[in-house]
Amino acid sequence: MRKFHFLIVFFLSQLFYSQLDNTHYLQPIIFGAYGSTVATITEEYIYLSTPSTSNISVTVRMADGTTIPRLSVYNINAATSTIVTNGVVTFANTTPVRLSVINASNVVLAPGTSPMTRPTTTAGTIIPANVGGMIFQSTANFFVNYRGTDPSQAGSSLTKGKVALGKNFFWGGTPNEFTTSVAEVGNMVSIMATENNTVVTINNIDAGTEFINGASATPLTGTTFTRTLQKGQSFILYAKVKLNTFSLQDRGWLGAKIVADKNIAVTVGGLMQQGSIETGTVSDSRDFAVDQLVPVEQLGNEYIIMQGNGGTYERVVVIATEANTTVSVNGSATPSYTLANIGDYVIVPGSSFTNKNMYLKTNKAVYVFHKIFGSSSLATNSFMFIPPLSCFGQTSVNMIPDAKQIGATIYPNTELSVLAASGTANAPAVTVGGTSLAPIVAAGTAVPGNPNWRSYRYDIANASGGTATIKNVRVSSAGTIQAEIIGASGVAGFGGYYSGFGTAPIVTIAVANSPSTRPCTGTTGSSTLSLSVTPGLGAYQWYKNGVAISGATTSNYSIPITDNIAAEYNVVVTPPGGCLIYSNVVKSYACPCYKPGVAGTPEITKIGISTRASKSTINFPADVNNGFIALESNDKGLVITRVSDPEISITNPVDGMMVFDTDDVCLKIYDGTKWSCINQTCN
């Protein structure tokens, strides 16, 4: 009889804010055109700011960690520029800066030739670490904000700091919903390695989806791509739209799984297309958006999305990281959507916003993306990667530099939206250039289905604080907040989210005294879930197969010894403030037992393979009964094919196929219908 002990571990070291960190990774990105009459982007900048009142020094290097870029450093408040050749940039809270990468003649590198944006013909190839991507490091915390612009397009993205690094991601974004005649429309994923010999696999791509293959006219195709990257190298997949027709290019990449054996950083986005029912099935309205992801373990199960200015044109995209994920909208008692498979997604329509807020609750961790508009113009769309709710989040954003501008371009429709814990007596305090700014609606607006939060909106563009152009924004509150900035000018719009991922404790069920993380239960063995957590973190509720277990509301729970049915177990913790913290899921199975072999004449094994110098028995393999092939060795083992998610990776399995699933950590067999772990049971 084997006894299994479980321990819930709260990793409190995760209590920091992703956008505000002392180390940031900026991946290279690719757009469909540079400098042409249909340019996607003609200017790009990197904004650095910090809450530190004293000067801090940030070292800027290329992705290889060695090469120093030549920089033009613009002091936003003083309107002065300095050439920096040693990669060290110094600034404080009152002196935010804007960076441009320059050549030896002090000429700003044009988009498509800079470390931030690479030529379209480098998509599908491995990008060297000394030409694409950048690393920012300091002993103090700071923000890194990439912004790009063109008279017709604009976009903004904040790097997420060290919590952006991980090994498991899903390709997210927003699909094209209308046909277009603009060839530059497309979506990309950019992956940067942080260590040598990093093996990256992208799978779960719809068969037939095509990606740019460098300078070759023959596209890359396939459902799986694997590349080995050295430190700082990047690999970008770019799916260009097909003109004037719907195709897999519009969404065949959405929900693809990205797995690496060492830490990577991932950015997604591109030049997105957007239409409306008024335009029929064709629309050339578009704008660009990029955002950096965080790995699966930094995600959550509760999200509040604050609507922009696009009305019902806006979309919320939810991507499942586990099978059988349910999505409830605005507090619905029953799931609004069910995502059956890993990587499945749902597009929640803009009509689901109430009071310009939308509340999503899921039973498993998900990625959430918001297609948002800076104005009512269909060409001002962007998207934001939304962080989950957290009662352990930041209480200030200090600061957003030059909030209504990208370079010299002013966006007169710039607004700030702030989500705040409703237990706070007053609205979040916002200052623009040091002058207080009241929210448009003093009391804010309620969130449907979640009374613990309210949202507030501020008119940044017309704020009296600051100069006519410089609008440095600071936000603070007595409770947890999330903040986003959106802006628009004519047909160009942008958006950026200034709130952290990874701010809530990560709850993990660890299995002790077991050969694997999959405990067995039942009358032939016993299992005890022995849980220990830090007191005072909140209320606990255990679940079996997604259903609450009656009475299992403490930090201790034991599976009944008579329960021999395989199941999934997890625990949800509700700390003060109403947030939910979800543990990982532990899968159990019926404990094995043994019976004597059946009496009778055995079959003789006729084929044997041995690595020994001499036979182990005189008649080997004939005296090894009931086998087709007998193997023997003193120091060798049989290793079968190791696969991550064979349900996705193996597109045409056959009856009896066996693999070792590296995700579920078990030997699996295909029975003609489904893959199942092979668990020893009574014969």
Side-chain angles (χ1 to χ4, degrees):
M1 305 252 296
R2 177 176 289 132
K3 184 173 289 186
F4 294 91
H5 301 280
F6 290 74
L7 172 67
I8 283 188
V9 182
F10 280 80
F11 292 101
L12 296 176
S13 62
Q14 296 296 325
L15 295 178
F16 52 85
Y17 317 130
S18 58
Q19 275 89 345
L20 184 63
D21 206 341
N22 62 11
T23 303
H24 293 265
Y25 300 83
L26 184 66
Q27 291 81 69
I29 56 180
I30 288 176
F31 293 115
Y34 305 101
S36 68
T37 56
V38 288
T40 300
I41 178 174
T42 53
E43 298 176 49
E44 55 185 351
Y45 306 94
I46 299 170
Y47 288 75
L48 302 182
S49 60
T50 178
S52 174
T53 56
S54 303
N55 277 343
I56 71 169
S57 293
V58 173
T59 300
V60 183
R61 298 185 179 92
M62 299 296 293
D64 59 6
T66 302
T67 305
I68 304 295
R70 190 176 178 89
L71 302 171
S72 174
V73 180
Y74 180 77
N75 184 312
I76 293 172
N77 291 351
T80 58
S81 295
T82 305
I83 303 300
V84 172
T85 59
N86 64 356
V88 178
V89 180
T90 301
F91 59 98
N93 180 256
T94 56
T95 56
V97 295
R98 186 184 78 202
L99 309 184
S100 299
V101 182
I102 58 178
N103 62 17
S105 301
N106 296 336
V107 176
V108 175
L109 298 181
T113 67
S114 76
M116 299 88 81
T117 49
R118 302 307 302 154
T120 305
T121 53
T122 59
T125 71
I126 293 177
I127 298 173
N130 63 342
V131 300
M134 304 172 78
I135 300 175
F136 303 78
Q137 293 176 304
S138 178
T139 57
N141 290 334
F142 60 101
F143 293 101
V144 176
N145 179 200
Y146 170 84
R147 302 181 196 175
T149 186
D150 174 81
S152 298
Q153 279 86 43
S156 173
S157 173
L158 273 87
T159 56
K160 306 296 191 293
K162 292 188 289 294
V163 297
L165 303 184
K167 301 175 182 178
N168 294 282
F169 300 81
F170 283 79
W171 188 347
T174 60
N176 299 322
E177 300 179 66
F178 298 84
T179 63
T180 179
S181 63
V182 179
E184 285 68 39
V185 171
N187 283 272
M188 61 113 223
V189 61
S190 177
I191 301 166
M192 178 195 290
T194 63
E195 299 181 54
N196 286 331
N197 301 314
T198 299
V199 180
V200 179
T201 299
I202 309 167
N203 61 24
N204 198 28
I205 298 170
D206 287 354
T209 308
E210 299 178 351
F211 301 96
I212 293 175
N213 184 16
S216 173
T218 303
L220 293 173
T221 58
T223 59
T224 301
F225 295 91
T226 299
R227 297 292 187 273
T228 299
L229 304 177
Q230 303 309 311
K231 180 180 178 179
Q233 289 183 340
S234 297
F235 177 66
I236 296 178
L237 282 179
Y238 190 100
K240 289 188 64 175
V241 72
K242 289 188 180 296
L243 299 184
N244 303 311
T245 184
F246 290 111
S247 75
L248 282 172
Q249 303 301 105
D250 300 327
R251 59 185 67 200
W253 43 271
L254 187 58
K257 187 174 183 180
I258 304 165
V259 179
D261 62 348
K262 299 175 184 177
N263 279 342
I264 57 175
V266 179
T267 291
V268 297
L271 180 63
M272 304 183 307
Q273 170 271 337
Q274 176 62 39
S276 72
I277 56 174
E278 288 83 2
T279 62
T281 60
V282 180
S283 174
D284 288 342
S285 297
R286 76 265 185 199
D287 211 331
F288 87 79
V290 290
D291 212 345
Q292 190 176 61
L293 305 185
V294 298
V296 170
E297 61 268 22
Q298 299 290 351
L299 302 176
N301 305 75
E302 282 192 292
Y303 295 83
I304 293 174
I305 302 93
M306 295 179 286
Q307 191 175 23
N309 295 315
T312 57
Y313 302 149
E314 298 197 2
R315 305 284 188 268
V316 175
V317 180
V318 183
I319 301 174
T321 65
E322 296 186 54
N324 300 315
T325 295
T326 60
V327 182
S328 297
V329 179
N330 294 335
S332 172
T334 57
S336 307
Y337 307 94
T338 298
L339 304 176
N341 305 301
I342 292 175
D344 281 359
Y345 64 88
V346 62
I347 301 174
V348 184
S351 57
S352 294
F353 284 102
T354 300
N355 297 328
K356 301 199 79 170
N357 296 313
M358 184 190 300
Y359 170 51
L360 299 180
K361 183 178 179 180
T362 64
N363 65 331
K364 298 177 182 179
V366 294
Y367 281 92
V368 176
F369 297 86
H370 178 199
K371 178 179 278 190
I372 192 170
F373 291 75
S375 73
S376 58
S377 169
L378 290 176
T380 63
N381 57 306
S382 180
F383 76 66
M384 296 181 183
F385 176 35
I386 305 299
L389 295 181
S390 172
C391 293
F392 301 88
Q394 65 204 78
T395 59
S396 67
V397 175
N398 191 5
M399 66 151 89
I400 306 173
D402 210 5
K404 66 177 287 188
Q405 287 190 225
I406 300 179
T409 303
I410 297 175
Y411 292 82
N413 293 331
T414 303
E415 295 180 3
L416 172 74
S417 296
V418 181
L419 182 68
S422 58
T424 303
N426 300 311
V430 173
T431 63
V432 179
T435 301
S436 295
L437 178 65
I440 297 172
V441 178
T445 55
V447 174
N450 190 328
N452 298 311
W453 299 84
R454 296 182 74 82
S455 69
Y456 300 81
R457 297 171 192 273
Y458 302 80
D459 183 358
I460 300 301
N462 297 307
S464 59
T467 67
T469 57
I470 300 173
K471 301 293 182 182
N472 295 328
V473 176
R474 295 175 175 87
V475 187
S476 64
S477 177
T480 300
I481 60 170
Q482 295 183 4
E484 67 182 22
I485 196 95
I486 59 172
S489 175
V491 296
F494 71 92
Y497 218 98
Y498 280 80
S499 291
F501 288 80
T503 57
I506 297 175
V507 185
T508 301
I509 301 175
V511 181
N513 303 321
S514 171
S516 74
T517 58
R518 301 176 60 247
C520 67
T521 63
T523 55
T524 59
S526 68
S527 295
T528 302
L529 293 178
S530 179
L531 301 135
S532 176
V533 297
T534 304
L537 289 173
Y540 302 87
Q541 176 62 65
W542 281 90
Y543 289 81
K544 177 181 178 181
N545 292 331
V547 178
I549 302 171
S550 178
T553 56
T554 69
S555 59
N556 295 282
Y557 175 69
S558 297
I559 299 177
I561 196 170
T562 55
D563 187 352
N564 61 358
I565 300 174
E568 294 183 348
Y569 293 90
N570 70 291
V571 65
V572 178
V573 183
T574 306
C579 296
L580 299 180
I581 305 173
Y582 288 71
S583 76
N584 63 318
V585 176
V586 172
K587 300 178 182 179
S588 71
Y589 66 100
C591 289
C593 64
Y594 303 89
K595 289 183 179 180
V598 178
T601 303
E603 293 288 332
I604 296 175
T605 302
K606 299 179 177 60
I607 301 173
I609 300 174
S610 176
T611 65
R612 293 176 174 173
S614 59
K615 293 182 177 182
S616 58
T617 59
I618 296 176
N619 296 317
F620 176 84
D623 45 13
V624 178
N625 297 327
N626 299 324
F628 178 72
I629 299 177
L631 308 178
E632 66 171 5
S633 177
N634 288 328
D635 56 3
K636 302 292 189 299
L638 174 65
V639 179
I640 69 170
T641 303
R642 288 163 288 185
V643 175
S644 172
D645 288 332
E647 296 86 350
I648 296 173
S649 303
I650 301 176
T651 55
N652 296 302
V654 296
D655 293 5
M657 180 180 287
M658 290 194 300
V659 298
F660 183 81
D661 188 328
T662 56
D663 281 345
D664 285 345
V665 195
C666 69
L667 191 67
K668 280 189 174 180
I669 188 168
Y670 186 72
D671 64 3
T673 303
K674 65 182 184 302
W675 289 95
S676 301
C677 290
I678 300 175
N679 297 315
Q680 186 178 7
T681 58
C682 297
N683 55 10

